[in-house]
Amino acid sequence: MEIFPMYQSALLQDLQARGLIAQITDAAALDELLSRESVTLYCGFDPTADSLHLGHLVPVLLLRRFQQAGHKPIALVGGATGMIGDPSFKATERKLNTPDVIAGWVGKIRGQVEPFLAFDGDNAAIMANNYDWFGSMNCLEFMRDIGKHFSVNAMIKKESVQQRLQREDQGISYTEFSYSLLQGYDFAELNRRHGCTLQIGGSDQWGNIVAGTDLTRRLNQKHVFGLTLPLVTKADGTKFGKTESGAIWLDAKKTSPYAFYQFWLNTADADVYKFLRYFTFLSVAELDAIEAADKASGQKPEAQRILAEQATELVHGRAALEAAQRISHSLFSGNLETLTESDFEQLAQDGVPGVALEKTTAGLIDVLVAAGLAKSKSEARGFLQSGSVAVNGQKVDALDHQIADAERRFGRFTLLRRGKKNYAMVRWP
RNA sequence: GGAGGGAUACCCAAGCGGUCAACGGGAUCAGACUGUAAAUCUGACGGCUCUGCCUUCGAAGGUUCGAAUCCUUCUCCCUCCA
C-alpha cells in the first residue's frame, strides 16, 4: 500500500483505496465539503462516436459512486463541444462531423449513460447538454464574456496542446484551441444553474477542468473543484480497451455482451485486481479477500471470472450476462454435440458472430473468409495448414475441404472455430 | 534563396542492376505447453484460379533483355548555411 493522505470523507477514502484518484484541485477543501454535505458534480461526455467505449466507463461509474454516496450527479453530453473537438493530447486535428450526425450521437450517448444513474430521490441525477447554452450564444458575447477571462499565454503552455504546437507537420486550428473555453464555461454554467461544485474526468481533462474552476471563480465568484481519474493502463504497456477487432464499446450492437464478457475474462493476472477496483462496486475489503484467496489457492484465479461477471452485469444487465455465460460454457467447456437446435438459435441471438450464406455449396476456405475468421484466402490457408480451424469442434486441415451436409447441424448451422477463442456461426439457407 | 541527407510492407529497418514479395527486429496471428493466463519454444505474416501467376519498395516518366536498386521531373520530411 502506498502512503496517501487520510481523507475524512468515506467516499474519498474508498476512491483512494481503489486507485481512482489522479489529481484534485484542492484536496483538503473538497474532502471537507464532501464529508459535510451533498455535492452536485458533473462529468462531460462528447459525442465523438455513436457509442461510448470502455475508456468512458470509469468516469460513468464514478458518477454512480458519487451518487451512491449521496451526491448529485450531472451527466453532460457535449452537443456543442462535440462539434468543436477536444485537442487535449490528440496528435492530429479532428475531422468535423455534421450537426445532424452529432445530434444523433448525443441521443445515443445519453441513453447509454442514463441506466447507470438514478433519477429519483433527493439527489436525483440530471442529464444536461451544453448545446442548450452554446447553441444560441452569439460570437461577440462569447468573445467578451468568456474569452476575456482566458490568457493565451497560459493556454499555450498547457501540456495537453504542446505536441500540437511544437510539431511542424501538425498544427492546431483556432477552433480546437478554443475548446477549453467551452468546457470551462460549461462548469460555470452548471454551477449557476444547478449549484455544481465539482467536475470529474480523465486525467487528460485536467487542463480543461482547471479552465472551468478558474472561469467559475471569475464569473460566479465561487470556489469549485476538479478531480481527475488515472488513465487506465495495462501492465504490458499496450492500450487498454482494445482488441484485434477494435475498441470495446458499451453498445451491445457494436460489442456483443458475449464479446464484452470474454474481454474481461481474458484480463491478465497483472491487471485483474486493479481492474476489479476500477470497474466493480465490490468493496475494497471483498476485493482484498478475493486477491488473497487467489494467491493462496495456487490454482487458476477466480478474479477474471468475478470481474467479467460484475462488469458485464453492470453494463448489459443480468439477462445478457447469463446469455454470455451460456455461450461461453457451450463453446469452451461444453460439448458441441449436445447443442440443440434452439441452442444454436440462442447462440446467434446471444452474440456469437455469424454470417448467413446464400449458396449451400462452399469450400471451407471461402466460408472462413465470409465468416470473417480470415482476412484473405491466403490467411485461411495458413490457418488450415497450422491446424487451427475446427468445424463443429472437429479439427479440419484439408485445404480443399467442402462443407458437407453432415456438417450442417439441423441442416442450418455450422460452427467454425479459428484458434482457441474465435468463433463464427454460419447459417445456411 | 543556397548546400547536403532521406522517403522500403502495420511500425522500426536492411537492400543499392538479375539469385527480391524484398535480411533483421517489433507488433500481430497460429501451433505446443497452460488457466480461454504469463513466460518459453515453433510456424505464418501482399494477393490469387498457389510446384505457378499477379500487384508492391513516395509519385510520374525514362534507360535496360531485366530496376526497390541507374537517369529525369515532381511531392513531402530532416540537417546545415544565408
Side-chain angles (χ1 to χ4, degrees):
Chain A
M1 270 302 194
E2 316 105 85
I3 298 166
F4 53 86
M6 279 308 293
Y7 293 112
Q8 337 165 18
S9 141
L11 176 60
L12 287 185
Q13 281 174 16
D14 181 58
L15 297 182
Q16 179 73 263
R18 287 175 180 277
L20 281 173
I21 300 176
Q23 287 171 291
I24 302 182
T25 51
D26 183 349
L30 179 63
D31 184 28
E32 200 268 323
L33 185 69
L34 287 170
S35 37
R36 192 179 66 227
E37 59 188 60
S38 174
V39 166
T40 301
L41 72 149
Y42 101 93
C43 181
F45 303 93
D46 272 1
T48 54
D50 60 359
S51 169
L52 297 176
H53 54 71
L54 273 191
H56 296 108
L57 190 54
V58 185
V60 171
L61 296 181
L62 188 59
L63 284 180
R64 183 181 168 108
R65 291 179 203 282
F66 270 92
Q67 186 168 35
Q68 287 182 348
H71 304 288
K72 186 179 178 70
I74 302 172
L76 175 92
V77 180
T81 38
M83 293 180 68
I84 301 303
D86 184 1
S88 299
F89 300 100
K90 298 283 188 312
T92 55
E93 183 87 8
R94 298 229 180 162
K95 199 180 108 235
L96 292 178
N97 291 295
T98 60
D100 54 315
V101 165
I102 291 170
W105 290 350
V106 166
K108 291 198 168 192
I109 286 168
R110 224 186 141 91
Q112 282 185 337
V113 175
E114 279 169 350
F116 291 93
L117 303 174
F119 290 86
D120 48 19
D122 289 341
N123 60 334
I126 297 173
M127 296 302 296
N129 181 349
N130 57 16
Y131 193 81
D132 292 348
W133 48 88
F134 283 123
S136 58
M137 183 179 287
N138 77 44
C139 169
L140 291 176
E141 205 181 321
F142 174 78
M143 292 286 182
R144 290 178 63 94
D145 297 348
I146 302 174
K148 199 67 177 170
H149 295 289
F150 283 84
S151 150
V152 169
N153 308 52
M155 286 169 72
I156 58 175
K157 284 190 192 137
K158 288 200 170 141
E159 203 188 323
S160 51
V161 297
Q162 272 307 308
Q163 63 166 318
R164 294 281 289 278
L165 294 172
Q166 283 167 0
R167 282 180 57 176
E168 303 234 337
D169 57 327
Q170 285 296 338
I172 179 166
S173 67
Y174 187 76
T175 305
E176 285 198 6
F177 188 63
S178 319
Y179 182 90
S180 69
L181 277 70
L182 298 187
Q183 187 168 332
Y185 183 74
D186 284 341
F187 202 169
E189 184 67 27
L190 290 172
N191 174 258
R192 188 180 307 135
R193 292 189 177 202
H194 302 294
C196 178
T197 50
L198 171 66
Q199 179 178 181
I200 63 168
S203 56
D204 59 334
Q205 291 300 307
W206 181 252
N208 291 332
I209 290 174
V210 170
T213 58
D214 286 350
L215 186 63
T216 306
R217 187 178 61 248
R218 290 184 185 145
L219 290 179
N220 305 357
Q221 290 77 49
K222 291 281 166 50
H223 184 193
V224 295
F225 302 89
L227 181 153
T228 60
L229 293 154
L231 184 69
V232 181
T233 55
K234 295 205 293 178
D236 64 7
T238 57
K239 201 168 175 359
F240 168 76
K242 298 268 188 201
T243 64
E244 44 162 326
S245 47
I248 302 291
W249 301 96
L250 301 192
D251 184 341
K253 290 192 199 71
K254 289 167 76 80
T255 299
S256 71
Y258 161 71
F260 190 85
Y261 178 81
Q262 284 288 324
F263 170 82
W264 292 111
L265 206 58
N266 285 299
T267 304
D269 292 2
D271 296 317
V272 70
Y273 302 102
K274 178 168 81 173
F275 290 176
L276 278 165
R277 284 169 169 70
Y278 285 4
F279 294 102
T280 75
F281 283 84
L282 297 174
S283 72
V284 171
E286 287 173 288
L287 297 174
D288 284 342
I290 291 168
E291 187 166 357
D294 277 346
K295 296 234 157 94
S297 79
Q299 311 237 316
K300 178 183 168 182
E302 289 296 298
Q304 280 87 348
R305 200 201 82 238
I306 295 167
L307 174 61
E309 286 173 3
Q310 293 285 322
T312 307
E313 183 170 358
L314 206 49
V315 173
H316 294 298
R318 186 82 208 166
L321 166 64
E322 283 168 4
Q325 287 177 314
R326 199 161 51 231
I327 304 179
S328 298
H329 182 76
S330 333
L331 298 185
F332 290 99
S333 42
N335 185 348
L336 297 180
E337 298 295 326
T338 63
L339 291 174
T340 65
E341 186 163 8
S342 69
D343 287 341
F344 275 105
E345 300 276 12
Q346 195 68 52
L347 287 178
Q349 211 169 2
D350 286 351
V352 169
V355 63
L357 295 186
E358 314 213 319
K359 323 185 286 183
T360 46
T361 56
L364 181 53
I365 286 178
D366 293 308
V367 175
L368 284 169
V369 175
L373 289 179
K375 286 200 283 289
S376 68
K377 294 183 185 180
S378 298
E379 193 175 71
R381 283 187 195 95
F383 288 138
L384 283 169
Q385 280 162 351
S386 59
S388 53
V389 176
V391 176
N392 294 326
Q394 296 295 311
K395 186 160 146 188
V396 173
D397 58 9
L399 290 178
D400 57 355
H401 186 88
Q402 298 286 317
I403 301 292
D405 285 342
E407 287 168 329
R408 279 183 261 273
R409 291 298 158 83
F410 310 102
R412 297 167 54 206
F413 303 108
T414 299
L415 194 59
L416 301 174
R417 189 186 77 211
R418 184 212 86 209
K420 285 196 171 62
K421 317 177 199 178
N422 306 287
Y423 284 92
M425 183 138 73
V426 179
R427 267 160 291 150
W428 302 96

